[in-house]
Amino acid sequence: MVPVKTSSKAASPADLELQPILTGQAPADRHQTRTAKTRALLRDPVTRTALGNLGLILTWYFFSTLLSLWNRKLVGEGHGVFGKGAFPAPLLMTGIQFAIQNLLARAVLKVGIVQRSANAVELDWHQYSRQVLPNGVCTGLDIGLSNFSLALITLSFYTMCKSTVPVFLLGFAFIWGIEKPSWSLAGIVGIISCGLLLLVYGESHFNLLGFVVVMTASMLSGLRWTITQVLLQGTPGSSGHGASGGPVEVLLQLTPVMSGTVLLMSLLVEHLWDTIPGSPYFASLTHVGVTALILCVGALLAFMMVWVEFTVIAQTSALTFMVAGTFKEVVTVVAAVLFLGEEFYLINGMGLAVLVMGVFWFNYTKYKKVAAGEIKPSKSANLEPWKEEDTPDVDRTDDATTPVMEGALTSPVYRFGADQTSPRNTS
C-alpha cells in the first residue's frame, strides 16, 4: 500500500479562494434565494405602503423645492430669466398664477381626471362670505406677500422666517379660545423666537422691508389657518360649518378670491402703469407671449405641488407628515444654497436647527392631541397607516381641510382638522 503524502504547509488565502464551496448553497442558488426574498418583501403590504408614501413625499419635495427656486429666480434681486432681470411685479405675477390655477382646476374636473366629491354642496352667499371669502383673502395676501418678499430677501432666509408660523398660529388660537396657554406652548414660542433671532443676526444681507413683509405673511398664515379651523370645526362649545368638497374643488372656490385680492393689491402697490411699459418682459408682443408662458410654468408647478401635497396628507399618517413637513424646509434651504449660491453660515445653521426643533415640538404636541382625540382630525387623517384593510373604502381626499398655501412649515392639526389651503411655497 502506497502511503499518502500530506503537506504540513497551511493553505494560503489564494488557495482557499480557488477551492470549491462544499457547504451551503451554490452562488446561483443564493442569488435565487435573495431574489425570492426581495420579491416577497415587495409584495408585503407594509413595504408597498411605505414605498408608495416615500414616493409621494419625494414628489412633494420635488415640486415644492422647484417652485421655490423658480419664484426666487424669477423675482429675486440680481436674478431673472432669459437675461431680462427680475420680474418687476411679483404681486401681479401671483394674481395671474392664481387665475391660471383656477382654469387648471376647472379643466381637470371637466375632463374627469379628478371626480367631484360626493359631499360637495353649492354654497349660498351667506356661506360663501363666511367660509370662502375670509380664507381666500388671507391666503391670497399670505402667498402674495410671500412672493413679494422673495424679491427682497434670499430664499433660505425666507424659508426660515416662514417657519415661524406656529408662533402666530398659537397667538390667534389663544385669542379664539382654541388653545389654552401652557408652559409647553410657551416653551415652543420661546424656542422658535430664539431661532428667529439667530437667523436675523446671522443674515449677511438683511433687508428690513423684506423681513417685515415675510413676517406679515407668516402672521397671515397663522390667521387663515385659525379662521379655517373656526369655520370648519367651530370653537369650544360651538360647531363649525363642515367641509365643502374635495381639494380641487376647494381650489376652484378659493382661487378667484385669492386672485382678485392680490391683483387689487398689485394695482395699489406696484404702480403697474409705470412698471410694465419699461420692463423687458413686456417690451413687445413676442416678449408678452414668452412672459405668459413663464407665468404658466409657475402656475402649473404650484398646482401640481398643491395636488401632490393633498395626496400626501390623505395617504400618510399624521406623524409621517409631521416629520416630512419639517424636513422639507431643510431641503429648500439646502437647495437655495446649492442652486442659487446663497450664503449660509454657522450661525444660520444654528438658528435653523433651533427653529426646526421648536416647530417639531409644536407639531408633535398637536399630533398627540389628534391621536388622543382632543382635536378632531379630518377624514383624511390616517393615524394608523398600516391598518388600511380595516377601514372602509372611502374617498380620503374629500375634505376642505387641506392646504392651499405655499412653502412654510404646517401643522398636522390644521392640515388634518381645519384647512391648509394652498401651495405652501411660493405660488
Side-chain angles (χ1 to χ4, degrees), residues 344-427:
F344 195 79
Y345 301 107
L346 177 60
I347 191 170
N348 300 110
M350 294 172 58
L352 178 61
V354 172
L355 208 153
V356 166
M357 182 172 61
V359 173
F360 190 88
W361 185 7
F362 170 81
N363 284 341
Y364 184 67
T365 300
K366 293 302 178 185
Y367 165 74
K368 288 196 299 183
K369 290 185 177 182
V370 172
E374 298 177 27
I375 297 178
K376 178 175 60 179
S378 74
K379 297 177 184 178
S380 64
N382 179 19
L383 298 181
E384 295 183 282
W386 311 131
K387 298 185 179 180
E388 295 182 0
E389 68 277 5
D390 296 333
T391 61
D393 184 15
V394 296
D395 178 5
R396 295 165 69 188
T397 59
D398 63 345
D399 113 75
T401 75
T402 355
V404 183
M405 147 183 148
E406 294 191 334
L409 281 170
T410 54
S411 109
V413 179
Y414 294 89
R415 285 196 176 249
F416 295 144
D419 156 269
Q420 233 211 160
T421 67
S422 90
R424 275 187 38 147
N425 254 346
T426 37
S427 102

Side-chain angles (χ1 to χ4, degrees), residues 6 12 45 110 142 150 177 200 217 249 262 310 346 372 376 378 399 407:
T6 57
S12 66
K110 182 72 174 178
D142 169 21
L150 282 175
V200 172
E249 291 162 306
V262 177
F310 278 123
L346 177 60
K376 178 175 60 179
S378 74
D399 113 75

